[in-house]
Amino acid sequence: MTTLEQLLGHDQTANPIDDYLSTITDAIRNQPRSLQKIIGPSELGTDCTHCLAAKLAGWAEQERDIPWLPFIGTAVHAELARIFETASQTAVKTGGRGRWLVEQRVYVGMIGPHPITGSCDLYDQATGTVLDHKIVGAETLRTAKAGVKEVYRVQAHLYGLGWENAGHTPERVAIAHLPRNAVSLTQDVIHVEDYDPAIARAALERANRVHANVTALASISETARDEWITALDRAPGCFSCRRYPDWATQPSRLATELGITTASRTTRKAA
């Protein structure tokens, strides 16, 4: 049998390794999570006021490298969704109850005129439990044993509010820290607490206050808005800060300690 490859021959100008890596890279950069621009429940609980305001202003984040670890998390989320969807379908086929609601979009509230929605990893109808998967490394697993990150807590309670808005009766939220690098799932750390809609509403109220400032300053000029955002408090160790172009305008730690100010060189305009 003559194959198409034999008929056409090989492309001597193509580089298989470069094309292999670029195909993966393009897919990662253009997947839905990478292209998200409207703020979602996963970001509303951030302790970085700068990044919250930047997101609300519509600033586009710029990846400094290929986000491989988030891609691994996205891939594991997809497989977990398949697992729980199959479990529910199997239960229904055998006369049982479809217990798990998987990756369903819920409405959590408004920020200014914008409805905020998010895709919740998992909801257990049998117990009224919101579950959120976090595929994390060893350091996050270690710190999770001492306490869950506030941004994760807020996200889970926002999803709880979303399910409540949809007519369900959530009772608790769970953040499942699943090991990315360990050889066994027994390394997991799962945090469970009672659902509290006040936590979700407080996050929405905070975001609305920031949004009101962003909108008011933007009515004066984008420059006024962007300079205000650049000057806002940044959370220590914030990973998102460096994704914004105004990261380079920040004074060094030494300059800050010495009381030396640096002129802003921000030329950033919102997308």
Side-chain angles (χ1 to χ4, degrees):
M1 176 185 291
T2 301
T3 66
L4 184 61
E5 176 187 11
Q6 291 171 327
L7 287 172
L8 298 179
H10 291 155
D11 183 353
Q12 301 301 324
T13 65
N15 184 313
I17 304 306
D18 285 350
D19 293 344
Y20 166 80
L21 292 173
S22 66
T23 299
I24 296 173
T25 298
D26 290 344
I28 292 174
R29 289 198 182 281
N30 291 287
Q31 63 182 320
R33 285 179 184 261
S34 298
L35 297 177
Q36 178 183 338
K37 292 186 178 180
I38 298 174
I39 197 167
S42 64
E43 300 156 308
L44 284 175
T46 177
D47 57 351
C48 185
T49 307
H50 164 268
C51 289
L52 176 62
K55 190 74 176 182
L56 290 170
W59 285 15
E61 295 182 55
Q62 298 181 349
E63 292 289 353
R64 307 296 179 183
D65 202 350
I66 307 304
W68 179 249
L69 294 182
F71 173 71
I72 292 174
T74 299
V76 175
H77 272 75
E79 183 62 11
L80 289 171
R82 185 195 65 78
I83 288 170
F84 283 99
E85 285 173 349
T86 299
S88 281
Q89 291 167 2
T90 300
V92 171
K93 289 178 182 178
T94 56
R97 177 182 183 183
R99 177 173 180 175
W100 309 103
L101 298 179
V102 182
E103 290 288 352
Q104 293 202 12
R105 186 159 292 276
V106 293
Y107 162 77
V108 303
M110 301 289 292
I111 297 179
H114 308 291
I116 304 302
T117 65
S119 181
C120 181
D121 291 340
L122 201 61
Y123 182 74
D124 179 11
Q125 297 185 94
T127 64
T129 303
V130 176
L131 296 110
D132 192 60
H133 319 304
K134 300 296 180 188
I135 317 304
V136 300
E139 178 61 19
T140 301
L141 277 179
R142 185 186 65 78
T143 57
K145 293 176 182 177
V148 67
K149 290 182 179 179
E150 187 64 15
V151 64
Y152 292 171
R153 287 187 68 238
V154 171
Q155 179 184 8
H157 287 283
L158 283 164
Y159 284 141
L161 182 58
W163 286 112
E164 186 177 351
N165 291 338
H168 293 267
T169 54
E171 292 189 16
R172 62 190 61 81
V173 300
I175 299 98
H177 304 82
L178 306 179
R180 185 179 59 231
N181 307 325
V183 297
S184 172
L185 185 59
T186 59
Q187 301 280 327
D188 68 286
V189 178
I190 301 182
H191 173 86
V192 182
E193 63 182 65
D194 291 340
Y195 164 59
D196 184 355
I199 294 174
R201 294 191 178 104
L204 289 168
E205 289 168 3
R206 174 195 178 216
N208 271 293
R209 289 193 298 270
V210 175
H211 180 269
N213 286 335
V214 166
T215 303
L217 287 166
S219 69
I220 300 171
S221 71
E222 286 190 356
T223 299
R225 178 200 63 192
D226 292 353
E227 288 180 350
W228 178 75
I229 293 172
T230 296
L232 287 172
D233 290 340
R234 298 172 185 244
C238 176
F239 182 76
S240 294
C241 276
R242 70 191 65 188
R243 294 176 179 172
Y244 291 108
D246 67 352
W247 174 252
T249 70
Q250 298 309 296
S252 69
R253 180 179 299 178
L254 177 60
T256 301
E257 291 173 351
L258 294 176
I260 301 171
T261 59
T262 57
S264 173
R265 302 187 300 278
T266 302
T267 58
R268 171 75 175 80
K269 296 297 182 184

